[in-house]
Amino acid sequence: MNFEEGLVVTQERLSREAGSLGELLARLRGHISSVLIGDREWEQLLERARQLPVTMAALPFGFELPLHEHQPGADLGVSVVGGTGSAAYFENMIRCGNEDPVISGIVGLLHETEREGSHLGRVIGRKMMLEYDVWSAPGATRPAPGIFLRPAERPIMGGGDDERTQDIGVVLAALVSAVGWSFDSAERRLTEHVHLAQPADTRIDSFGAFPARERAIRLALTGFRSLHNIAEFLERAGWRGGRALSTVSSLEEHGGFVSLGAHIDVRSDGLGPSLGLSFIAKHRVAKDPSYWLDRPDQWTTFFNGLRQEELAVPEKLEALAAWSPGPTTLFGASGAFVLVRGIHHIKLVLSGGRIAQVKAYPFMAMTAALPA
C-alpha cells in the first residue's frame, strides 16, 4: 500500500474516531506536557481545533511553542492538501454559505492547484499550511489563519533565472489574492531582489501571509550552512540589522544542527526589522520513508547550547527533549494507529539588536497501523 492509499485509509479511520481535530487532540493530552501547554491554554487550543476536521491528523500538524517565556501556551499549525478530507471540509463550508473571505481564498487556492495545466500547481503541488494564532491572540478573538505556500514540487533555488522569477510572481499573486490583499508591484520587486541575493544552494522554502496582521510577505529561506552565509545574504538583500547576528554566534559554536534558515518580512517599503533564524537538526528528504521519524537524542546538543546560553526556560527544554520517543501505537474504536512525533525546527527571533523570542515547532501525525 502506497502513501496515498494509506492516507485514504487513515482519514476514513480517523473519521470514525472523533468528530473534530479538537476532539481527537483531547485524547492525546497525555502525550503533551503541561509544562509546554498549560491546562487553560490547552482548553483554548482545543476550542480552536474543534472547528477543524479530524482528518487533519492524518498529515503532520503541530504547535508553535514559546521557549523564552514561562507561560505554557501554543499556536496551532495544520496542513491542507487538495483531494483530502481537510480540503473537502473547507469546500463544504463555502457550499453551505460561509462568506469568510479567507475561507474563500483557501478554496480558491485548492481549485487553482487542481486545475489542469495550473502554473501554481506545478510549483507548490496541492498543499498549503495554515497557522492559527491561539496563545498569541488571547481573549475571544479568533483571527483568520496565516496561509503558507511551499514550492515543494518545483523548488525555487538561488540563482535568479527567469523561470524561477516567474514562479515567484505566480505564487505571490495567488497568496495575496487568497488573503484578500491587492497585488503590490513594489512587494514583488523586493521579493525578486531577495531571491537574487540568496546563494545558489539555498531555496525559498515558503511564502506566507497573515491577513489579521500588518501586511507583509513572510519568506522562509533554508539551506544555509553558517551564520556567516546568512550575514552575507542579508547584506546583499539589504536587511539593516546584520550586526544582531553576533548575539547568536556563541550558540553556533555549541553546534547540534545541520542547517539554518532565515525568515524575513517583505513589505512594499522594505524588509521588516525582525529576523527569524531557524535551526534544523536533521536533513529531511521528502521521499525518504523516515522523513518524519526523529531520534530521541536528535536535539540534545542544541538544547544544551540553549540551556548554557540561558536562552530558554530550562523546564520547557526538559519537556521538549522528551517529545520524540519514537513511534507510539495507540488503540481506538476503529483499530490501531501509530502516533509519530518530532521537532521540525527551533527559531530565534532577532529584533532591536537582541534575541527577542525563542520558539520550538514540534509536530505530530497519525497513521493507521496497517499490515506490511
Side-chain angles (χ1 to χ4, degrees):
M1 182 173 293
N2 61 30
F3 172 78
E4 287 76 16
E5 293 170 335
L7 181 60
V8 171
V9 172
T10 298
Q11 290 182 100
E12 191 278 328
R13 293 261 310 276
L14 283 171
S15 297
R16 288 188 274 150
E17 294 293 331
S20 69
L21 180 62
E23 185 181 336
L24 180 70
L25 273 178
R27 303 177 191 176
L28 299 177
R29 178 53 165 156
H31 298 278
I32 301 173
S33 170
S34 59
V35 173
L36 298 174
I37 308 178
D39 291 339
R40 182 172 62 88
E41 293 80 10
W42 180 249
E43 288 303 318
Q44 293 173 342
L45 190 72
L46 293 184
E47 181 182 357
R48 195 68 185 89
R50 289 189 185 103
Q51 309 302 314
L52 299 172
V54 66
T55 50
M56 283 182 168
L59 292 165
F61 65 96
F63 313 99
E64 180 183 84
L65 306 176
L67 301 183
H68 58 288
E69 294 190 10
H70 285 276
Q71 184 178 351
D75 290 333
L76 176 66
V78 297
S79 301
V80 180
V81 179
T84 66
S86 302
Y89 165 81
F90 289 106
E91 292 166 344
N92 187 58
M93 290 180 71
I94 296 298
R95 283 195 295 270
C96 291
N98 188 300
E99 297 181 356
D100 186 313
V102 175
I103 300 299
S104 297
I106 291 170
V107 172
L109 285 172
L110 290 168
H111 289 172
E112 173 57 27
T113 56
E114 293 174 359
R115 181 178 61 81
E116 184 177 355
S118 167
H119 189 156
L120 182 65
R122 289 198 299 271
V123 178
I124 70 168
R126 305 170 74 191
K127 180 179 179 180
M128 74 185 78
M129 294 166 289
L130 306 178
E131 183 175 319
Y132 291 86
D133 290 338
V134 181
W135 172 79
S136 59
T141 59
R142 282 190 178 180
I147 300 178
F148 289 80
L149 305 180
R150 296 188 66 234
E153 296 299 312
R154 191 156 72 184
I156 300 179
M157 308 297 293
D161 62 84
D162 291 341
E163 185 177 22
R164 295 300 172 260
T165 300
Q166 291 177 10
D167 290 350
I168 287 172
V170 168
V171 176
L172 270 182
L175 180 63
V176 299
S177 175
V179 298
W181 296 342
S182 58
F183 184 76
D184 187 321
S185 58
E187 208 170 57
R188 173 173 176 169
R189 285 195 300 271
L190 186 53
T191 301
E192 292 173 354
H193 173 70
V194 170
H195 171 54
L196 289 171
Q198 70 179 102
D201 56 350
T202 64
R203 71 181 186 278
I204 300 180
D205 190 65
S206 66
F207 298 73
F210 289 87
R213 301 183 189 178
E214 182 180 1
R215 176 165 179 160
I217 301 298
R218 175 70 54 83
L219 290 182
L221 298 97
T222 58
F224 295 95
R225 301 304 173 194
S226 68
L227 289 175
H228 178 70
N229 294 149
I230 291 181
E232 291 181 328
F233 155 69
L234 292 173
E235 184 175 357
R236 292 191 299 270
W239 190 69
R240 298 183 178 89
R243 292 183 179 179
L245 291 176
S246 62
T247 61
V248 295
S249 58
S250 58
L251 188 59
E252 183 177 36
E253 294 172 4
H254 288 286
F257 59 91
V258 298
S259 66
L260 291 155
H263 304 249
I264 55 179
D265 288 335
V266 175
R267 308 182 310 199
S268 59
D269 61 347
L271 299 180
S274 298
L275 171 73
L277 291 175
S278 60
F279 294 80
I280 301 167
K282 176 184 179 180
H283 292 296
R284 297 190 184 276
V285 181
K287 295 183 179 181
D288 185 339
S290 65
Y291 184 96
W292 296 109
L293 300 179
D294 287 357
R295 302 188 317 271
D297 63 344
Q298 188 168 293
W299 287 94
T300 300
T301 300
F302 189 77
F303 285 175
N304 286 341
L306 288 175
R307 189 177 293 109
Q308 292 178 37
E309 298 299 325
E310 299 182 343
L311 294 175
V313 176
E315 294 80 7
K316 285 192 172 184
L317 285 177
E318 183 178 352
L320 195 60
W323 182 270
S324 309
T328 303
T329 302
L330 305 175
F331 295 95
S334 64
F337 291 86
V338 174
L339 173 67
V340 176
R341 286 169 285 169
I343 300 170
H344 193 271
H345 66 278
I346 306 294
K347 184 169 74 174
L348 275 62
V349 179
L350 306 184
S351 181
R354 66 182 185 88
I355 299 173
Q357 298 175 327
V358 181
K359 301 178 180 181
Y361 294 81
F363 62 83
M364 312 176 82
M366 292 182 67
T367 181
L370 303 173

